[in-house]
Amino acid sequence: NGFSLGAVDYITKPFQAEEVLARVNTHLRTRKLLKDKDLLINQVVNRDIHLSALMESMQEGLIMLDRHRVIRSFNPAAEKIFGYYSSEMIGKKFECIIPSIGSEEFKNYFEGHPDAKRSHPKGKNFILEGTHKKGMTIPLELSISEINFFPKEDSHEFEFENIFVGLVRDISQRIESEQKIIEAREIAEKANKAKSELLANMSHELRTPLNSIMGFSQLLIFDPELSKNQLHVENATRIYKSGKYLLELINEILDLARIEAGKINISMEPVEITSLLEELAHFVQPIAKEYSVHLSHDSSDLVGFYCQADRSRLKQVLLN
């Protein structure tokens, strides 16, 4: 009757002190073990609640698998990526949504083949393709990690086993962005090539009339009749030098493409400073006179001095 009412033990009379103490100690220890067990179960339940909340809030798909690649859990983000509900996927093979997981090398990775760790380090990211419920292919980034503890379902028992956690990201937008960058780069390269071709053609077209101007100015300089008039000779010389400088500028335009390609050539040579300044002064004098600017220079202290430079570019810098 006592057992039927819930009693777990009894003591007969007459009492034996040692027996009473032994039975009380046994039940105290049993009670403590039961409390510890309840506490451990509560901790596991609380952790399971926290883990569930974490899985629910994650933006990446989180899928838990056993070593046979059977899906044990499937969070909402994974549902969104693959189009399946969790109830549809739990108990299914992982390769039904990521076919390449069924390959031999991945089987070795999951099933603990001796060469698995060498072929697939834990936590490595894999770029592969997944299959949506509607049949379309999804580019994915998959990271797999391993844990070795998991509670046995529908029981307060615990068993140790290899459980794999797969973190899945849909990288469709990333690939699309990378493709747009590639396309934009190709468009920019085509535009740059067209610009270089335009500069080359334009420079070629400008050279033709400019060479004529320089040629006729040289004829004027050496013409016996015009050489009697010093002013005419000076004017023709200025025309020739200006044309020559303009030709140098046209050549500089062609250098733009080389500059952008990092292939600009610098021709270093000894440059006599006085003659360079004299040449520049004659070139800018008409422009200064047009704006009523008096321009003078004295390079007598620089006679016989040279500098090591690219003459055409130094001339361009000083003129500017």
Side-chain angles (χ1 to χ4, degrees):
N1 289 336
F3 282 134
S4 66
L5 293 173
V8 294
D9 205 350
Y10 66 94
I11 302 172
T12 59
K13 293 181 181 180
F15 298 127
Q16 298 293 327
E18 292 81 359
E19 180 186 0
V20 173
L21 289 174
R23 288 181 180 273
V24 170
N25 285 330
T26 298
H27 285 290
L28 287 175
R29 285 195 300 272
T30 302
R31 177 61 177 163
K32 185 177 185 303
L33 290 173
L34 289 173
K35 284 186 175 181
D36 290 344
K37 179 183 177 182
D38 290 339
L39 180 61
L40 183 57
I41 290 172
N42 287 333
Q43 289 176 349
V44 172
V45 170
N46 288 334
R47 288 180 182 178
D48 188 54
I49 292 172
H50 293 155
L51 179 60
S52 297
L54 178 63
M55 291 177 65
E56 294 285 328
S57 62
M58 288 183 66
Q59 297 297 316
E60 293 86 2
L62 193 146
I63 304 170
M64 298 185 73
L65 318 159
D66 63 20
R67 67 186 185 90
H68 301 294
R69 305 178 307 285
V70 175
I71 297 173
R72 303 282 285 269
S73 65
F74 202 77
N75 78 335
E79 293 179 338
K80 184 177 179 181
I81 292 172
F82 294 100
Y84 290 98
Y85 290 111
S86 173
S87 57
E88 297 177 274
M89 295 309 301
I90 292 176
K92 298 285 184 65
K93 286 274 192 168
F94 197 26
E95 46 262 45
C96 71
I97 52 175
I98 303 182
S100 59
I101 292 295
S103 64
E104 284 300 321
E105 56 180 351
F106 276 106
K107 285 182 181 178
N108 292 338
Y109 179 75
F110 283 100
E111 295 176 7
H113 189 276
D115 294 329
K117 291 186 178 181
R118 287 195 293 274
S119 60
H120 290 291
K122 304 303 183 194
K124 179 181 177 180
N125 288 348
F126 304 98
I127 303 298
L128 32 70
E129 291 183 343
T131 304
H132 193 272
K133 185 177 182 179
K134 295 180 179 180
M136 54 191 178
T137 300
I138 317 162
L140 300 172
E141 183 180 62
L142 172 65
S143 175
I144 302 178
S145 300
E146 183 182 5
I147 57 177
N148 59 3
F149 174 78
F150 197 79
K152 191 175 181 180
E153 294 180 4
D154 303 324
S155 171
H156 296 317
E157 300 291 331
F158 296 95
E159 67 176 11
F160 291 87
E161 60 176 328
N162 291 330
I163 294 296
F164 296 87
V165 179
L167 197 62
V168 181
R169 301 178 187 86
D170 184 344
I171 57 174
S172 301
Q173 291 185 349
R174 189 175 83 188
I175 291 178
E176 184 179 349
S177 298
E178 290 172 354
Q179 184 60 37
K180 288 181 178 178
I181 291 172
I182 292 172
E183 292 174 357
R185 186 187 298 119
E186 290 176 351
I187 292 172
E189 288 173 353
K190 289 180 180 178
N192 189 56
K193 183 179 179 181
K195 180 195 71 176
S196 299
E197 291 175 354
L198 175 64
L199 289 175
N201 293 333
M202 182 186 71
S203 300
H204 177 73
E205 294 298 325
L206 288 174
R207 276 199 192 99
T208 303
L210 188 58
N211 286 329
S212 297
I213 294 172
M214 293 174 63
F216 281 108
S217 63
Q218 280 183 310
L219 290 176
L220 291 174
I221 294 170
F222 296 109
D223 187 279
E225 294 297 325
L226 289 178
S227 61
K228 298 175 182 178
N229 189 321
Q230 185 63 30
L231 179 60
H232 288 172
V233 173
E234 289 180 2
N235 289 337
T237 302
R238 286 177 180 175
I239 292 172
Y240 174 78
K241 289 184 176 180
S242 297
K244 184 180 178 182
Y245 179 68
L246 185 56
L247 184 60
E248 291 176 2
L249 290 181
I250 292 172
N251 291 331
E252 291 293 333
I253 291 175
L254 292 175
D255 281 340
L256 285 176
R258 298 190 188 102
I259 292 171
E260 291 176 350
K263 297 179 180 178
I264 186 68
N265 295 320
I266 302 295
S267 178
M268 302 298 286
E269 60 180 323
V271 179
E272 207 278 312
I273 299 174
T274 304
S275 62
L276 180 63
L277 292 177
E278 290 289 343
E279 184 180 341
L280 293 174
H282 285 297
F283 184 79
V284 298
Q285 193 68 48
I287 304 173
K289 186 177 181 181
E290 182 181 350
Y291 291 95
S292 302
V293 173
H294 176 67
L295 181 67
S296 64
H297 75 286
D298 181 8
S299 58
S300 58
D301 293 339
L302 297 175
V303 175
F305 279 87
Y306 289 79
C307 67
Q308 191 75 6
D310 183 305
R311 193 178 195 282
S312 63
R313 288 179 173 79
L314 176 60
K315 181 179 177 181
Q316 187 177 358
V317 169
L318 294 175
L319 185 60
N320 287 337

